Amino acid sequence: MNRKAILIVLDSVGIGALDDAAAYGDAGADTLGHIIRTCQPKLPHLMELGLGNIDGASFPGAVAAPQGCFGKMREVSAGKDTTTGHWEIAGVQLSRPFPTFPNGFPQAFIDRFEQAVGRGTLGNKPASGTAILDELGEEHMRTGKLIVYTSADSVFQIAANEAIVPLEELYRDCEIARKMLTGDLEVGRVIARPFVGDHAGAFKRTGARRDFSALPPETMCSALEKSGRTVYGVGKIEDIFAHQGITRSNHAAGNPACMEATFAAMEEDFDGLLFVNLVDFDMVYGHRRDVQGYAAALEAFDAQIPELKARMGDDDLLILTADHGCDPCHTGTDHTREHTPLLVWGRKVRKGVNLGTRDTYADVSATVLDFFGVDHTLKGTSFLSEIRL
């Protein structure tokens, strides 16, 4: 019998600070709470599933009879980045965070990297991805030097204008950096940041971004692959897991394209996991502190929930969650250390079950593997028995 687990990660849609948020500079962060209270977006379908009924939710919207199961999850792993969050969702808990470089990367590494790729570099500091283009984009175009920068996350980012550095060369340079960043320099992701435009103020990043992740250990994805099931990644999922355990993919860019790809994949005949990342919440709105845009993106996703449900088979399972926060009302432009929401729906799933506060994001992977009857040794506790009719 073919059936699908549809797991959609609403990238950065956190639901309130974790107990240790102050250690990360994130006390008081509440991505959903601040956006909903500030903008009052219309989210009838998320609320119907039980979003407003989640314990401790700081916004109105609780319904008398939720149509889904609802809860929230703690992140056990150290860190608050995309790779760490997704890996924990997939059953991996990291005791040590990926390293960050608030003062830039060691000059000795930069020297070796420049020699390896055959180009000089500019930047080598933490920066906003859009601001650094205005600052260094014209010099990059004059000199051909790569713009390298980082952030509060564990990333080594390379920006280059597509008219100066062809995409394949940029991707090659990222692969070189990925192989060189080992030991104490092993960042979670190397990110290719291509852009277009010919002067400051006109530079614009393109959808040809690529992430080159550290290699994960055994995950939910690889366990499913070994069991003979499909693991269909949509968006940057294949990059986050370094293609490990991903059997099919659609590298769509942006929420609209990713949802189109999701609907198309739901019509295909396969038995396994459809794993989706919706990056715009984080990349386009959270980091840019665009509260109104974030609210509109939430409304757009909410409006697509009826189609998601309509396309699901009788035995399919839908899980909505997030990987961290990125509160556009909080200080700074970086990710925030938050709980993540957990909403579950299916035609053979009970209604109105309060799943409480889960001890780890890894409960998702334990549940998905339980759903498919796959044995594993990964972290997490399945909640499948709590939600089945």
Side-chain angles (χ1 to χ4, degrees), residues 75 124 176:
E75 185 170 25
N124 189 28
I176 290 170

Side-chain angles (χ1 to χ4, degrees), residues 82-373:
T82 294
T83 301
T84 300
H86 280 77
W87 283 15
E88 186 166 326
I89 289 169
V92 176
Q93 295 172 348
L94 298 178
S95 59
R96 184 174 68 91
F98 288 109
T100 56
F101 296 88
N103 299 310
F105 289 82
Q107 188 59 46
F109 168 78
I110 294 296
D111 292 343
R112 289 190 293 113
F113 173 71
E114 290 179 345
Q115 184 175 14
V117 300
R119 287 182 184 267
T121 63
L122 304 168
N124 189 28
K125 61 183 179 179
S128 158
T130 51
I132 202 164
L133 297 186
D134 286 336
E135 177 188 350
L136 298 175
E138 291 182 353
E139 184 178 354
H140 156 72
M141 296 191 72
R142 286 195 306 270
T143 65
K145 294 180 179 180
L146 301 171
I147 301 171
V148 300
Y149 64 106
T150 187
S151 72
D153 293 333
S154 181
V155 292
F156 181 81
Q157 304 184 87
I158 308 175
N161 193 293
E162 292 185 7
I164 303 298
V165 180
L167 283 175
E168 292 308 314
E169 181 182 341
L170 176 59
Y171 297 156
R172 183 213 65 178
D173 293 348
C174 288
E175 290 172 346
I176 290 170
R178 177 73 275 170
K179 291 175 182 177
M180 294 176 64
L181 289 161
T182 59
D184 292 341
L185 300 180
E186 188 179 22
V187 294
R189 288 175 295 158
V190 174
I191 306 178
R193 295 286 196 177
F195 66 97
V196 294
D198 58 9
H199 63 272
F203 294 131
K204 182 179 180 181
R205 298 196 296 195
T206 75
R209 162 186 171 161
R210 288 288 185 273
D211 293 34
F212 299 79
S213 177
L215 283 175
E218 177 84 0
T219 69
M220 165 185 66
C221 301
S222 51
L224 286 168
E225 180 191 29
K226 288 176 182 177
S227 76
R229 288 172 174 83
T230 296
V231 181
Y232 198 138
V234 171
K236 63 180 184 177
I237 292 297
E238 62 178 352
D239 290 344
I240 293 169
F241 290 93
H243 300 257
Q244 304 298 299
I246 309 299
T247 64
R248 299 171 66 180
S249 63
N250 184 328
H251 201 103
N255 286 9
C258 284
M259 286 306 297
E260 288 182 15
T262 298
F263 292 140
M266 290 175 73
E267 296 303 312
E268 296 184 28
D269 184 22
F270 66 87
D271 181 52
L273 174 66
L274 178 55
F275 198 170
V276 182
N277 173 277
L278 298 182
V279 70
D280 284 356
F281 297 115
D282 182 59
M283 183 178 72
V284 179
Y285 306 112
H287 285 301
R288 298 180 187 178
R289 300 179 60 80
D290 183 352
V291 187
Q292 295 289 342
Y294 208 132
L298 286 168
E299 285 189 337
F301 175 74
D302 184 89
Q304 293 175 305
I305 290 176
E307 185 172 356
L308 269 174
K309 293 165 70 174
R311 289 175 181 262
M312 287 174 61
D314 289 344
D315 297 302
D316 292 350
L317 181 68
L318 174 66
I319 301 176
L320 307 179
T321 190
D323 54 341
H324 49 69
C326 193
D327 185 349
C329 299
H330 193 60
T331 57
T333 61
D334 299 312
H335 294 159
T336 42
R337 176 85 171 171
E338 298 187 47
H339 295 90
T340 55
L342 176 64
L343 298 173
V344 186
W345 185 88
R347 291 186 174 85
K348 293 184 179 178
V349 169
R350 295 170 61 195
K351 297 179 180 180
V353 175
N354 186 347
L355 294 169
T357 302
R358 313 302 300 188
D359 288 334
T360 170
Y361 293 0
D363 285 4
V364 169
S365 64
T367 302
V368 169
L369 292 168
D370 193 10
F371 177 71
F372 289 109

Side-chain angles (χ1 to χ4, degrees), residues 44-68:
H45 305 294
L46 286 167
M47 295 303 178
E48 182 183 61
L49 288 175
L51 182 66
N53 295 73
I54 294 174
D55 294 342
S58 65
F59 48 85
V63 296
Q67 296 301 295

